[in-house]
Amino acid sequence: MILKTFGWSFGVTIVGLVAAALFWGWEAFAIVLILSILEISLSFDNAVVNAGVLKRMNAFWQKIFLTIGILIAVFGMRLIFPVVIVSVTAGLGPIEAVELALDDPDHYEELVTDAHPSIAAFGGMFLLMIFLNFIFEKREVMWLRWIEKPLSHLGRINGFSVGVALAALLVAATQIATSAYQHGGLHADKSDTVLLSGVAGVLVYLLVGGLSDFFENRLEEDEERLEEEEAEAKKKAAAEGKEVSAVGVAGRAAFFLFLYLEVLDASFSFDGVIGAFAITNEIFLMALGLGIGAMYVRSLTIYLVRQGTLDDYRYLEHGAHYAIGALALLLLISIRWHLNEVITGLLGVCLIGLSFWSSVRANRLDAAAEESGAEKESSRV
């Protein structure tokens, strides 16, 4: 199971590290290894949340996520995305931006750092919407009940999560972005940029999330309708090929879930891409190291789905969403103050670790209660 799920990740790791050592030397080997570990530590919560979405997709779309999705994650977010940032913010063409990354990596790093406020605002608001919709949703399983129960009541108010997110954006734009962190420790007023980028993050979440929910609901409705029709006349339904319509709807639903996962992965990767510049400004080493880490995040997501880990450890998904909320706030704070990437990585790992420990403890208590109940039942007999 381990080799089947992580086989590609192991293979890419070996090829990537060997290529780094052969073409750039042992220093590059160490840099790629460090970047891989950085990406895995920063994105572990990403894997847990991805698994919660991916388990609703069929085997075909899970394979799409692991193949085409990884190409988007590695080449799109880890290689093309930093170039696009420089191209847009500096007013350069894509080819000029690539030439700048290769010929003058120091200036390239300056431009990416100066674009950080808009990146952090977009990614922070997208992730904040994910956390708020989770925490305001009414659910049977609650981890921190004293927090989650009262907040679930507030979630009954239509648009409440959007209102809270926009309020947080206003605070960030008016109080934090007025002195945004820039390259070399300088500061500049980025209020307008942060406001526009943050609104864009909220809109993208609402658009992609709304489309995926719409098609998923359509899928459930069509499946229920087809089940009723098949119960009445299975032969007639098979002859008319009504099963095909369900497959088609499933495809559209899965496509938008896939799109949602890709945007989610992009938001998670912002801190990893920006943090990588603290280690190296060589674009290919950065893409190689972060790409290896992204492979493990994908494989870990598949592993969690196939093992049913989220069902076995009931609070794990809660911990991941709390880590998302923390990361969203840290991204907004980082607009003004430079934060060490170790902080974001360790905070997410600690929250997930606590939720895992709480899940194990709850499972043990349930097992003890069942055993005690069985003993009482046997004594009565």
Side-chain angles (χ1 to χ4, degrees):
M1 179 65 182
I2 296 293
L3 185 60
K4 182 179 179 181
T5 305
F6 290 89
W8 277 102
S9 299
F10 294 151
V12 170
T13 302
I14 295 171
V15 172
L17 292 175
V18 170
L22 289 177
F23 292 102
W24 292 284
W26 289 108
E27 182 180 352
F29 176 93
I31 290 173
V32 170
L33 182 61
I34 292 171
L35 287 174
S36 302
I37 297 172
L38 172 69
E39 178 69 9
I40 294 171
S41 63
L42 289 175
S43 302
F44 185 80
D45 47 356
N46 187 8
V48 177
V49 176
N50 282 353
V53 179
L54 196 65
K55 68 181 181 180
R56 289 144 55 187
M57 300 163 68
N58 59 28
F60 171 78
W61 279 98
Q62 289 181 8
K63 290 180 180 178
I64 293 294
F65 176 72
L66 193 58
T67 52
I68 298 176
I70 193 62
L71 294 176
I72 297 173
V74 174
F75 294 101
M77 287 308 302
R78 276 73 179 181
L79 182 60
I80 298 176
F81 173 67
V83 174
V84 172
I85 292 174
V86 174
S87 179
V88 173
T89 57
L92 301 174
I95 297 177
E96 293 174 299
V98 173
E99 291 176 348
L100 180 64
L102 296 176
D103 300 333
D104 192 357
D106 291 332
H107 184 49
Y108 175 81
E109 179 185 352
E110 291 179 17
L111 294 175
V112 173
T113 302
D114 291 344
H116 175 71
S118 59
I119 300 169
F122 180 91
M125 294 309 299
F126 185 89
L127 294 177
L128 185 61
M129 284 297 301
I130 294 173
F131 169 72
L132 291 176
N133 276 331
F134 178 85
I135 202 68
F136 289 141
E137 183 182 356
K138 185 177 181 181
R139 60 187 67 253
E140 295 181 3
V141 178
M142 295 184 180
W143 180 29
L144 304 179
R145 181 172 290 273
W146 57 280
I147 295 178
E148 296 173 15
K149 188 172 182 179
L151 290 180
S152 66
H153 295 310
L154 293 175
R156 298 175 182 174
I157 304 174
N158 291 332
F160 190 74
S161 59
V162 177
V164 173
L166 292 178
L169 177 60
L170 284 176
V171 172
T174 57
Q175 303 299 319
I176 298 177
T178 53
S179 182
Y181 180 83
Q182 300 286 270
H183 183 79
L186 302 176
H187 291 81
D189 188 351
K190 296 284 186 176
S191 300
D192 294 340
T193 301
V194 166
L195 192 61
L196 289 173
S197 300
V199 170
V202 174
L203 289 176
V204 169
Y205 173 85
L206 293 175
L207 178 62
V208 178
L211 286 173
S212 64
D213 289 342
F214 170 76
F215 283 107
E216 190 175 8
N217 292 334
R218 284 282 303 276
L219 170 62
E220 293 176 357
E221 293 174 1
D222 281 17
E223 285 179 343
E224 291 177 359
R225 177 178 56 81
L226 285 176
E227 286 177 0
E228 293 176 357
E229 291 178 356
E230 288 173 0
E232 295 175 359
K234 288 185 179 180
K235 292 183 179 180
K236 183 179 178 181
E240 295 176 356
K242 292 183 178 179
E243 293 86 349
V244 177
S245 63
V247 175
V249 175
R252 291 195 294 272
F255 170 76
F256 282 103
L257 283 175
F258 170 77
L259 184 61
Y260 173 78
L261 280 174
E262 291 305 313
V263 178
L264 178 63
D265 178 77
S267 299
F268 270 103
S269 67
F270 289 152
D271 60 332
V273 172
I274 299 301
F277 282 99
I279 299 172
T280 181
N281 53 17
E282 295 290 341
I283 185 172
F284 290 115
L285 294 182
M286 188 186 304
L288 196 57
L290 296 181
I292 291 174
M295 281 292 297
Y296 281 97
V297 173
R298 281 296 198 279
S299 297
L300 183 60
T301 300
I302 295 293
Y303 179 81
L304 292 174
V305 172
R306 292 175 178 172
Q307 292 292 104
T309 305
L310 297 183
D311 296 328
D312 296 336
Y313 301 98
R314 67 192 77 174
Y315 303 131
L316 198 58
E317 194 170 1
H318 293 71
H321 278 87
Y322 278 106
I324 287 177
L327 178 58
L329 293 178
L330 289 176
L331 278 173
L332 296 178
I333 292 172
S334 70
I335 292 173
R336 183 168 185 171
W337 295 280
H338 178 67
L339 301 176
N340 193 303
E341 289 71 31
V342 175
I343 297 175
T344 58
L346 287 179
L347 183 59
V349 171
C350 289
L351 287 169
I352 293 176
L354 286 173
S355 65
F356 177 78
W357 177 80
S358 298
S359 301
V360 172
R361 185 171 176 269
N363 290 341
R364 289 176 179 174
L365 291 175
D366 289 346
E370 291 179 5
E371 184 178 348
S372 177
E375 290 178 355
K376 289 181 180 179
E377 187 68 24
S378 60
S379 63
R380 289 176 184 176
V381 176

